[in-house]
Amino acid sequence: MRDDNCIFCKIAAGEIPSRVLHEDEQFRVILDLAPVTRGHALILPKNHYANLYELPEDVAADVMKLAKKMAGTMTEKLGCTGFNLLQNNGEIAGQTVKHFHLHLIPRYDEDGQSITMKPTSPSAAELDEVKEIITRA
Ligand code: 5GP
Ligand code: ZN
């Protein structure tokens, strides 16, 4: 379950050095090399899954359990005042490494970062339509 051309497979296997915050049978949690804030880290499954769509359900559940644990530890140790979880799938969504990873991003007062969304104003009919499409059997 690895891709020999994948840099995160190599990092998760310890073949390329990284700063490891946590390791268990399934995952390695490493510091991001280009952090957006102090302590920005990535949860990497040791198996290669390109994205969320390929991630098995049980691994997805374990990722979120580990994210909760890491967020608690990092908040206590770093004294951050907020926390973002970010997970990108596909180039349009900002994914640059095609091996599933969950960003752990500690936030600090006035850290200068903005992980923001731009709300739009669809009509009620448009909202009804998209709800209908997604929930259609
Ligand atoms: P994406 O844009 O795919 O969601 O996030 C990829 C992340 O991986 C980026 O934040 C980037 O800084 C980080 N990254 C890319 N290459 C390496 C590397 O070789 N080592 C580490 N520790 N982080 C990396
Ligand atoms: Zn990989």
Side-chain angles (χ1 to χ4, degrees):
M1 288 286 276
R2 66 173 274 153
D3 176 339
D4 286 337
N5 297 315
C6 173
I7 187 169
F8 279 3
C9 279
K10 291 179 183 142
I11 290 175
E15 294 160 15
I16 290 179
S18 63
R19 292 175 178 81
V20 180
L21 306 183
H22 168 92
E23 185 178 3
D24 59 41
E25 241 177 58
Q26 280 198 101
F27 303 106
R28 202 175 262 238
V29 183
I30 63 164
L31 278 187
D32 198 294
L33 263 190
V36 298
T37 63
R38 188 165 185 261
H40 177 184
L42 304 169
I43 296 181
L44 311 180
K46 290 186 173 178
N47 284 332
H48 181 85
Y49 309 108
N51 49 42
L52 182 66
Y53 306 109
E54 288 192 3
L55 196 69
E57 262 188 29
D58 58 330
V59 183
D62 290 343
V63 167
M64 194 48 77
K65 281 187 199 160
L66 181 55
K68 178 173 168 55
K69 189 174 149 203
M70 291 304 303
T73 304
M74 291 165 73
T75 299
E76 189 188 317
K77 301 259 174 92
L78 295 170
C80 57
T81 48
F83 212 96
N84 287 115
L85 297 182
L86 181 68
Q87 201 277 306
N88 302 325
N89 299 281
E91 275 170 37
I92 188 65
Q95 185 179 16
T96 57
V97 181
K98 305 287 172 4
H99 175 125
F100 175 95
H101 50 281
L102 180 65
H103 293 259
L104 304 171
I105 307 177
R107 300 301 304 272
Y108 306 89
D109 296 353
E110 291 161 25
D111 62 21
Q113 291 290 344
S114 61
I115 300 165
T116 54
M117 296 184 282
K118 286 190 256 172
T120 61
S121 308
S123 66
E126 285 167 324
L127 289 171
D128 286 344
E129 187 195 5
V130 74
K131 176 243 164 189
E132 178 56 31
I133 290 168
I134 294 168
T135 58
R136 192 178 296 155

mmCIF file of all heavy atoms in Angstrom, residues 115-135:
data_model
loop_
_atom_site.group_PDB
_atom_site.id
_atom_site.type_symbol
_atom_site.label_atom_id
_atom_site.label_comp_id
_atom_site.label_asym_id
_atom_site.label_seq_id
_atom_site.Cartn_x
_atom_site.Cartn_y
_atom_site.Cartn_z
ATOM 1 N N ILE A 115 -7.440 31.773 7.035
ATOM 2 C CA ILE A 115 -7.950 30.604 6.332
ATOM 3 C C ILE A 115 -9.448 30.840 6.224
ATOM 4 O O ILE A 115 -10.228 30.462 7.084
ATOM 5 C CB ILE A 115 -7.606 29.318 7.096
ATOM 6 C CG1 ILE A 115 -6.083 29.207 7.222
ATOM 7 C CG2 ILE A 115 -8.175 28.086 6.389
ATOM 8 C CD1 ILE A 115 -5.583 28.226 8.217
ATOM 9 N N THR A 116 -9.809 31.574 5.177
ATOM 10 C CA THR A 116 -11.170 32.096 5.118
ATOM 11 C C THR A 116 -11.942 31.544 3.923
ATOM 12 O O THR A 116 -11.367 31.042 2.976
ATOM 13 C CB THR A 116 -11.164 33.631 5.001
ATOM 14 O OG1 THR A 116 -10.344 33.968 3.888
ATOM 15 C CG2 THR A 116 -10.634 34.280 6.246
ATOM 16 N N MET A 117 -13.253 31.667 3.982
ATOM 17 C CA MET A 117 -14.124 31.329 2.866
ATOM 18 C C MET A 117 -14.858 32.598 2.480
ATOM 19 O O MET A 117 -15.007 33.500 3.291
ATOM 20 C CB MET A 117 -15.107 30.238 3.287
ATOM 21 C CG MET A 117 -14.405 28.946 3.646
ATOM 22 S SD MET A 117 -15.539 27.605 4.044
ATOM 23 C CE MET A 117 -16.008 28.029 5.708
ATOM 24 N N LYS A 118 -15.289 32.639 1.210
ATOM 25 C CA LYS A 118 -16.042 33.816 0.764
ATOM 26 C C LYS A 118 -17.496 33.418 0.586
ATOM 27 O O LYS A 118 -17.846 32.796 -0.419
ATOM 28 C CB LYS A 118 -15.475 34.330 -0.570
ATOM 29 C CG LYS A 118 -14.147 35.037 -0.432
ATOM 30 C CD LYS A 118 -13.764 35.732 -1.723
ATOM 31 C CE LYS A 118 -12.688 34.944 -2.435
ATOM 32 N NZ LYS A 118 -12.389 35.435 -3.778
ATOM 33 N N PRO A 119 -18.363 33.730 1.533
ATOM 34 C CA PRO A 119 -19.762 33.334 1.426
ATOM 35 C C PRO A 119 -20.426 33.953 0.200
ATOM 36 O O PRO A 119 -20.110 35.077 -0.192
ATOM 37 C CB PRO A 119 -20.393 33.897 2.710
ATOM 38 C CG PRO A 119 -19.256 34.131 3.635
ATOM 39 C CD PRO A 119 -18.076 34.458 2.775
ATOM 40 N N THR A 120 -21.352 33.180 -0.418
ATOM 41 C CA THR A 120 -22.136 33.684 -1.552
ATOM 42 C C THR A 120 -23.601 33.814 -1.113
ATOM 43 O O THR A 120 -23.933 33.481 0.028
ATOM 44 C CB THR A 120 -22.028 32.725 -2.752
ATOM 45 O OG1 THR A 120 -22.545 31.452 -2.352
ATOM 46 C CG2 THR A 120 -20.582 32.569 -3.203
ATOM 47 N N SER A 121 -24.455 34.283 -2.003
ATOM 48 C CA SER A 121 -25.859 34.498 -1.627
ATOM 49 C C SER A 121 -26.811 33.834 -2.617
ATOM 50 O O SER A 121 -27.507 34.520 -3.377
ATOM 51 C CB SER A 121 -26.169 35.996 -1.585
ATOM 52 O OG SER A 121 -25.250 36.674 -0.790
ATOM 53 N N PRO A 122 -26.857 32.493 -2.636
ATOM 54 C CA PRO A 122 -27.769 31.823 -3.572
ATOM 55 C C PRO A 122 -29.216 32.069 -3.179
ATOM 56 O O PRO A 122 -29.510 32.349 -2.019
ATOM 57 C CB PRO A 122 -27.415 30.339 -3.414
ATOM 58 C CG PRO A 122 -26.858 30.244 -2.035
ATOM 59 C CD PRO A 122 -26.171 31.544 -1.758
ATOM 60 N N SER A 123 -30.108 31.927 -4.183
ATOM 61 C CA SER A 123 -31.545 32.058 -3.897
ATOM 62 C C SER A 123 -32.004 30.810 -3.150
ATOM 63 O O SER A 123 -31.321 29.768 -3.149
ATOM 64 C CB SER A 123 -32.315 32.177 -5.201
ATOM 65 O OG SER A 123 -32.203 30.961 -5.922
ATOM 66 N N ALA A 124 -33.188 30.896 -2.568
ATOM 67 C CA ALA A 124 -33.784 29.733 -1.897
ATOM 68 C C ALA A 124 -33.959 28.594 -2.892
ATOM 69 O O ALA A 124 -33.727 27.423 -2.571
ATOM 70 C CB ALA A 124 -35.121 30.119 -1.274
ATOM 71 N N ALA A 125 -34.328 28.934 -4.132
ATOM 72 C CA ALA A 125 -34.527 27.898 -5.154
ATOM 73 C C ALA A 125 -33.214 27.172 -5.456
ATOM 74 O O ALA A 125 -33.192 25.952 -5.628
ATOM 75 C CB ALA A 125 -35.090 28.535 -6.422
ATOM 76 N N GLU A 126 -32.145 27.920 -5.528
ATOM 77 C CA GLU A 126 -30.840 27.288 -5.788
ATOM 78 C C GLU A 126 -30.433 26.369 -4.631
ATOM 79 O O GLU A 126 -29.902 25.278 -4.842
ATOM 80 C CB GLU A 126 -29.778 28.367 -6.020
ATOM 81 C CG GLU A 126 -29.898 29.019 -7.394
ATOM 82 C CD GLU A 126 -29.059 30.289 -7.528
ATOM 83 O OE1 GLU A 126 -28.939 31.045 -6.541
ATOM 84 O OE2 GLU A 126 -28.543 30.524 -8.623
ATOM 85 N N LEU A 127 -30.672 26.812 -3.413
ATOM 86 C CA LEU A 127 -30.362 25.974 -2.252
ATOM 87 C C LEU A 127 -31.225 24.712 -2.262
ATOM 88 O O LEU A 127 -30.724 23.606 -2.003
ATOM 89 C CB LEU A 127 -30.588 26.759 -0.946
ATOM 90 C CG LEU A 127 -29.568 27.866 -0.655
ATOM 91 C CD1 LEU A 127 -30.033 28.705 0.540
ATOM 92 C CD2 LEU A 127 -28.186 27.296 -0.399
ATOM 93 N N ASP A 128 -32.510 24.881 -2.578
ATOM 94 C CA ASP A 128 -33.413 23.722 -2.652
ATOM 95 C C ASP A 128 -32.934 22.738 -3.716
ATOM 96 O O ASP A 128 -32.953 21.535 -3.507
ATOM 97 C CB ASP A 128 -34.842 24.171 -3.015
ATOM 98 C CG ASP A 128 -35.535 24.849 -1.840
ATOM 99 O OD1 ASP A 128 -35.053 24.704 -0.699
ATOM 100 O OD2 ASP A 128 -36.549 25.545 -2.076
ATOM 101 N N GLU A 129 -32.496 23.282 -4.856
ATOM 102 C CA GLU A 129 -32.076 22.419 -5.955
ATOM 103 C C GLU A 129 -30.845 21.585 -5.583
ATOM 104 O O GLU A 129 -30.800 20.378 -5.818
ATOM 105 C CB GLU A 129 -31.769 23.268 -7.202
ATOM 106 C CG GLU A 129 -31.484 22.409 -8.415
ATOM 107 C CD GLU A 129 -30.834 23.170 -9.567
ATOM 108 O OE1 GLU A 129 -30.506 24.359 -9.397
ATOM 109 O OE2 GLU A 129 -30.633 22.551 -10.622
ATOM 110 N N VAL A 130 -29.881 22.230 -4.970
ATOM 111 C CA VAL A 130 -28.658 21.488 -4.642
ATOM 112 C C VAL A 130 -28.925 20.464 -3.544
ATOM 113 O O VAL A 130 -28.395 19.347 -3.558
ATOM 114 C CB VAL A 130 -27.488 22.444 -4.292
ATOM 115 C CG1 VAL A 130 -27.624 23.076 -2.939
ATOM 116 C CG2 VAL A 130 -26.158 21.720 -4.405
ATOM 117 N N LYS A 131 -29.797 20.820 -2.611
ATOM 118 C CA LYS A 131 -30.189 19.847 -1.563
ATOM 119 C C LYS A 131 -30.851 18.642 -2.208
ATOM 120 O O LYS A 131 -30.555 17.490 -1.870
ATOM 121 C CB LYS A 131 -31.134 20.527 -0.572
ATOM 122 C CG LYS A 131 -31.679 19.601 0.499
ATOM 123 C CD LYS A 131 -33.176 19.499 0.384
ATOM 124 C CE LYS A 131 -33.736 18.344 1.137
ATOM 125 N NZ LYS A 131 -35.148 18.130 0.860
ATOM 126 N N GLU A 132 -31.701 18.897 -3.206
ATOM 127 C CA GLU A 132 -32.420 17.832 -3.915
ATOM 128 C C GLU A 132 -31.433 16.921 -4.654
ATOM 129 O O GLU A 132 -31.542 15.694 -4.609
ATOM 130 C CB GLU A 132 -33.413 18.501 -4.886
ATOM 131 C CG GLU A 132 -34.230 17.563 -5.747
ATOM 132 C CD GLU A 132 -35.020 16.540 -4.919
ATOM 133 O OE1 GLU A 132 -35.412 16.893 -3.789
ATOM 134 O OE2 GLU A 132 -35.204 15.412 -5.404
ATOM 135 N N ILE A 133 -30.437 17.534 -5.305
ATOM 136 C CA ILE A 133 -29.458 16.735 -6.066
ATOM 137 C C ILE A 133 -28.652 15.831 -5.137
ATOM 138 O O ILE A 133 -28.459 14.650 -5.408
ATOM 139 C CB ILE A 133 -28.517 17.686 -6.853
ATOM 140 C CG1 ILE A 133 -29.289 18.356 -7.977
ATOM 141 C CG2 ILE A 133 -27.303 16.934 -7.395
ATOM 142 C CD1 ILE A 133 -28.550 19.521 -8.642
ATOM 143 N N ILE A 134 -28.215 16.394 -4.009
ATOM 144 C CA ILE A 134 -27.337 15.626 -3.124
ATOM 145 C C ILE A 134 -28.097 14.499 -2.417
ATOM 146 O O ILE A 134 -27.550 13.417 -2.190
ATOM 147 C CB ILE A 134 -26.665 16.562 -2.082
ATOM 148 C CG1 ILE A 134 -25.713 17.524 -2.802
ATOM 149 C CG2 ILE A 134 -25.906 15.759 -1.026
ATOM 150 C CD1 ILE A 134 -25.201 18.671 -1.941
ATOM 151 N N THR A 135 -29.342 14.732 -2.110
ATOM 152 C CA THR A 135 -30.077 13.738 -1.316
ATOM 153 C C THR A 135 -30.921 12.785 -2.169
ATOM 154 O O THR A 135 -31.513 11.856 -1.641
ATOM 155 C CB THR A 135 -31.025 14.446 -0.301
ATOM 156 O OG1 THR A 135 -31.935 15.296 -1.029
ATOM 157 C CG2 THR A 135 -30.228 15.269 0.691
#
